[in-house]
Amino acid sequence: MIVCQVSDMHLMAGGKLAYGVVDTAAHFRRCIANIQALPQPPDVVVMTGDLVDGGQPTQYALLREIIAPLSMPVYLIPGNHDDREALRAAFPDHAYLNQFPPFIQYAIEEHDVRIVAIDTVIPGQAGGELCAQRLEWLALTLATAPQRPTLLLMHHPPFATGIGFMDEIGLANPEALAQVVAKHAQIERILCGHLHRPIQARFAGTLACTAPSTAHQITLDLARAAPETFTMEPPAYFVHAWNAQSGVVTHTAYVGDFPGPYSFGMG
Ligand SMILES: [Fe+2]
Ligand SMILES: [Fe+2]
């Protein structure tokens, strides 16, 4: 089973540029075309938040339009730039969005790998948290299928990345999540967004990672007072390939026009 993870598209409608610089819609269109051209098409695509830049209906309409060519199931979670109700309104056919209102938390059972998503959003704030209600749902949900390999989706990563200004708007209570996760060895990966970079860390006995953005990337600077900047490093997404022998193996796929492929047999 192959799961593509795309993240932090920050879509703007009407040709507007994010931060006056980034044509996020054009970047996302190229990402979707890249996924469609993969030699092994994914079985599902997950999108780990900051789907649009301002939570607006026109932006979600654009998201719908751009992902329309994908023939496999797509699963969405909100980030701090999203609006739960506007997201639900734009995707009435995505019934899983309504499993646990007002939050967007769900479990998807019909694939080889179980997909469980939790909602870290605090409306109106950049940082995230998991309240007792959301954590209780997660504990109960994980307990129903302890033998099934599981991917856990959440927007805010549960670990400090070292990028100071992003850690300040991170997840408020990772310790509470760790208590739940540590009891469930079936969690193959925790798949996050928010950081606009590929980053990995151990977390409560599993591996947590943040995905690159399909558009702009957060500058790699581990100084505590690092400037709040982004760069146009190559956009990318993750390809999580699962089989029963290896578990989940994660690849980074770059979106762009690069020279090659060349044969090793030449010259
Ligand atoms: Fe983002
Ligand atoms: Fe975010």
Side-chain angles (χ1 to χ4, degrees):
M1 175 173 173
I2 293 180
V3 178
C4 280
Q5 179 191 2
V6 308
S7 201
D8 291 85
M9 301 89 86
H10 286 259
L11 292 180
M12 307 275 283
K16 291 204 185 83
L17 303 181
Y19 312 102
V21 180
V22 191
D23 189 345
T24 53
H27 278 291
F28 188 44
R29 286 185 199 280
R30 283 193 284 274
C31 177
I32 294 300
N34 190 288
I35 289 172
Q36 289 187 285
L38 283 171
Q40 291 81 33
D43 299 283
V44 305
V45 178
V46 300
M47 303 191 176
T48 43
D50 290 354
L51 310 171
V52 304
D53 198 60
Q56 296 162 10
T58 52
Q59 297 172 342
Y60 289 114
L62 180 62
L63 174 61
R64 249 200 111 84
E65 179 210 314
I66 296 176
I67 69 174
L70 295 176
S71 56
M72 68 291 295
V74 174
Y75 301 111
L76 308 169
I77 68 169
N80 49 297
H81 285 257
D82 289 297
D83 180 279
R84 291 175 187 138
E85 292 318 311
L87 172 58
R88 282 193 179 100
F91 291 88
D93 48 335
H94 288 223
Y96 64 87
L97 294 171
N98 300 304
Q99 283 189 19
F100 190 60
F103 308 110
I104 295 183
Q105 302 204 150
Y106 52 85
I108 306 293
E109 312 288 1
E110 59 256 43
H111 307 291
D112 287 345
V113 174
R114 191 179 192 217
I115 295 170
V116 174
I118 51 175
D119 184 336
T120 57
V121 171
I122 311 168
Q125 293 190 34
E129 72 172 354
L130 289 164
C131 60
Q133 199 181 352
R134 282 173 269 191
L135 286 165
E136 185 182 0
W137 177 95
L138 177 64
L140 289 170
T141 300
L142 290 171
T144 63
Q147 308 299 331
R148 294 203 60 205
T150 298
L151 293 172
L152 178 60
L153 315 185
M154 56 193 289
H155 181 67
H156 296 81
F159 60 91
T161 65
I163 299 176
F165 77 95
M166 290 303 292
D167 288 344
E168 282 176 22
I169 56 167
L171 184 72
N173 57 339
E175 307 81 10
L177 176 66
Q179 287 188 1
V180 177
V181 169
K183 296 187 181 116
H184 292 284
Q186 77 267 30
I187 301 173
E188 288 268 349
R189 284 281 192 295
I190 301 179
L191 307 183
C192 310
H194 195 51
L195 260 293
H196 295 229
R197 295 201 70 77
I199 309 172
Q200 296 83 34
R202 279 177 64 161
F203 180 79
T206 187
L207 180 64
C209 56
T210 67
S213 170
T214 57
H216 48 296
Q217 314 300 321
I218 301 285
T219 306
L220 176 55
D221 184 339
L222 302 182
R224 187 176 299 181
E228 301 185 16
T229 58
F230 63 85
T231 76
M232 297 314 296
E233 291 172 12
Y237 60 94
F238 281 151
V239 176
H240 305 287
W242 176 87
N243 65 56
Q245 288 72 41
S246 306
V248 173
V249 177
T250 296
H251 302 264
T252 305
Y254 294 96
V255 180
D257 294 319
F258 307 110
Y262 303 108
S263 168
F264 283 106
M266 302 293 285

